[in-house]
Amino acid sequence: YGGISDGDQVVLTAYFKPTPSIAQPQMARNNRGEVEEVIITGRHDPLIVPRAVVVVESMTAITILDAMMKNMSATLEGMQKFYQK
């Protein structure tokens, strides 16, 4: 929820599911560029927390821009007004 039209803060609630480990043998490149087989045992989830804020901010910006463009292009007059500035 949020009041974009009246300048209020936009408040989001985001949820992330655990990133799963793939327990099947996979072919991957190491840091030297060599192809090798990787086998993951147990659960080794990468930590999403440091990247979560960037992901949420980016997707929010894209969603707001998309809504603005849809609104702007709803009428020809709206597009002309936008591009005349």
Side-chain angles (χ1 to χ4, degrees), residues 11-57:
V11 180
L12 298 173
T13 302
Y15 297 93
F16 288 87
K17 67 179 188 126
T19 308
S21 301
I22 300 173
Q24 298 178 3
Q26 303 173 64
M27 300 307 289
R29 292 195 180 269
N30 61 22
N31 58 0
R32 295 180 302 278
E34 303 164 343
V35 177
E36 61 183 28
E37 185 176 55
V38 176
I39 300 172
I40 299 173
T41 58
R43 190 170 174 101
H44 304 280
D45 297 336
L47 184 64
I48 187 69
V49 174
R51 297 180 297 275
V53 174
V54 177
V55 170
V56 171
E57 285 178 347

